[in-house]
Amino acid sequence: MAQRAWRLLVAALLSAAWLTGCGQEPAKRGDGSVRIGVTLYDQYDTFLTELMDCFNGYVDARKAEGVDIVTVRQDAAGSQSLQDDEVAEMIENGCDVICVNLVDRTAPTTIIDMARKNDVPIIFFNRELVEEDLMQWDSLYYVGADAFQSGVLQGEMATEYCKAHPETDRNGDGSIQYVVLEGEAGHQDSIIRTEYSVDTMIQKGILLDKVGYAIANWNRVQARSKMEQLIDSSESEIELVLANNDDMAMGAIEAYEGREIPRENWPVIFGIDGTEVGLQAVISGKMAGTVYNDKDGQAQAMEALAYALASGKSLQYLDLPESVTLEDNKYIRLPYKKVDRETAEEILSK
Ligand code: GAL
């Protein structure tokens, strides 16, 4: 609680620092420069940190082409009302377009109303609002991925692994004792990944026996402690861990390492995201596989769309990754892909 209050305070102070422009006059819209605001639900989220690094790389590349582009980044520190205030400030300070990683994906109305009133387009990303909300105004967009696909791909990888390695069923009872480490309750990726990963395995003929689950909010530390509790409380040994993201898979690995359980008695562990640590864990064999959540493609698409909107360019010829399109003039979704050791090495060497 104390830590959360502290983070909110820091975020509010940073917000205030930007409001005063750190001593500079806020730019007026139409001065020739392009101003892009970004607000994150939580700046400590690993996947989003990496996505923002990619985004900054695309912005720098555009600057190198001579475009006068300024970005402003805020952290909502898990508070929707703080995020609403941040968006209000960004609008007041002349942002031409704002990229919003909603804290509460069911509560975008304040932001949508402000944006519409001031005619500032919004690109929502990563945390998907419902379609009816996105349809409230023409200049609202979403950049992300298809959660359903990530669940199916994780389920397929886990199935392939179990079939190729019958020893996964360590107690030989014919079914795989498994646990799921879930992201935030209510997040589209947690709900859909959990459902489709398990369903895919069942459909492909794997007998599954659920011995527990835990919500660990995408977070490595929370996942480690939840995993320790699951290890201690499960009557049967856990043979498979399906984690909704890599950070939680890493937490599971840490739990087994912390308990000094020999590697041959570990369950098989799968993640989603392909973060740097996740890819390293796949290469080292601690994680059996992950699913790449294309942070680079999402960042490229978001920057291209933001730049086009801010500078009044046509959205018809956006500089998007190959085979990706702006669907219904609203959605850009990047495909996921399965990551084994070889693919992990390829991605890391790029
Ligand atoms: C998911 C990602 C998680 C976390 C979450 C935040 O797409 O897999 O690691 O970043 O978004 O909304």
Side-chain angles (χ1 to χ4, degrees):
M1 209 46 210
Q3 195 195 6
R4 184 171 165 74
W6 171 242
R7 281 172 57 188
L8 276 172
L9 178 69
V10 172
L13 288 173
L14 285 173
S15 212
W18 185 70
L19 227 193
T20 56
C22 303
Q24 293 163 1
E25 275 293 297
K28 297 277 175 297
R29 294 183 74 195
D31 67 353
S33 70
V34 166
R35 283 201 149 214
I36 302 174
V38 181
T39 159
L40 297 179
Y41 91 102
D42 173 7
Q43 67 172 345
Y44 297 103
D45 179 290
T46 307
F47 171 73
L48 286 163
T49 304
E50 294 186 4
L51 188 150
M52 286 315 297
D53 288 346
C54 298
F55 180 80
N56 293 338
Y58 285 104
V59 169
D60 288 345
R62 206 171 291 276
K63 279 186 193 156
E65 286 167 8
V67 178
D68 183 4
I69 183 165
V70 181
T71 55
V72 179
R73 177 164 145 190
Q74 299 279 19
D75 174 23
S79 160
Q80 188 56 59
S81 65
L82 177 59
Q83 187 166 62
D84 294 348
D85 293 347
E86 288 170 354
V87 171
E89 287 161 18
M90 287 177 183
I91 291 175
E92 223 174 280
N93 284 279
C95 277
D96 301 292
V97 57
I98 304 174
C99 303
V100 179
N101 178 227
L102 278 169
V103 174
D104 180 350
R105 66 187 196 93
T106 65
T109 308
T110 308
I111 290 177
I112 293 174
D113 289 349
M114 287 187 293
R116 182 160 36 189
K117 199 164 144 229
N118 294 281
D119 199 19
V120 176
I122 302 284
I123 303 172
F124 293 100
F125 67 104
N126 168 264
R127 298 164 73 88
E128 188 169 349
L129 59 174
V130 294
E131 198 180 339
E132 296 81 78
D133 282 333
L134 201 68
M135 294 301 163
Q136 281 190 44
W137 181 42
D138 282 352
S139 301
L140 303 175
Y141 302 87
Y142 179 74
V143 174
D146 183 352
F148 162 81
Q149 191 190 25
S150 56
V152 170
L153 294 182
Q154 188 186 55
E156 284 179 3
M157 286 192 92
T159 303
E160 285 152 21
Y161 188 95
C162 292
K163 289 189 175 166
H165 299 88
E167 71 280 8
T168 307
D169 178 15
R170 285 202 311 275
N171 65 4
D173 68 349
S175 43
I176 303 291
Q177 276 67 44
Y178 79 100
V179 302
V180 183
L181 292 176
E182 294 184 18
E184 290 160 271
H187 190 299
Q188 83 278 351
D189 288 337
S190 321
I191 302 166
I192 299 174
R193 285 175 185 170
T194 301
E195 180 180 341
Y196 284 95
S197 171
V198 171
D199 279 4
T200 303
M201 291 190 77
I202 295 170
Q203 271 171 28
K204 293 195 175 288
I206 304 288
L207 288 178
L208 287 176
D209 172 17
K210 185 173 183 174
V211 294
Y213 80 97
I215 293 177
N217 297 306
W218 310 119
N219 182 286
R220 184 166 172 162
V221 178
Q222 288 184 36
R224 177 185 175 151
S225 97
K226 296 277 170 77
M227 193 68 222
E228 284 168 352
Q229 289 166 21
L230 287 165
I231 295 170
D232 295 342
S233 64
S234 304
E235 279 172 20
S236 19
E237 251 185 277
I238 299 161
E239 296 169 340
L240 169 68
V241 175
L242 296 170
N244 281 173
N245 79 343
D246 284 356
D247 260 17
M248 296 189 295
M250 295 308 297
I253 292 170
E254 281 177 4
Y256 279 89
E257 285 174 338
R259 285 277 194 273
E260 297 184 359
I261 298 176
R263 272 295 279 283
E264 62 273 18
N265 294 339
W266 285 21
V268 186
I269 301 171
F270 286 91
I272 292 179
D273 272 346
T275 56
E276 275 182 45
V277 281
L279 295 171
Q280 295 291 2
V282 172
I283 292 170
S284 74
K286 290 182 180 176
M287 222 194 272
T290 186
V291 177
Y292 190 62
N293 191 357
D294 189 354
K295 59 192 170 210
D296 188 63
Q298 290 169 43
Q300 182 186 351
M302 187 161 91
E303 196 276 339
L305 181 57
Y307 176 65
L309 290 166
S311 52
K313 297 206 175 355
S314 158
L315 302 188
Q316 228 185 332
Y317 307 106
L318 287 177
D319 191 10
L320 296 177
E322 215 179 310
S323 77
V324 172
T325 52
L326 174 65
E327 287 162 41
D328 304 330
N329 223 26
K330 285 277 172 197
Y331 286 96
I332 299 179
R333 292 186 199 275
L334 278 289
Y336 284 97
K337 82 171 174 213
K338 293 180 190 173
V339 181
D340 57 12
R341 189 173 302 194
E342 202 182 317
T343 324
E345 272 162 4
E346 259 168 45
I347 298 173
L348 277 178
S349 67
K350 270 187 199 159

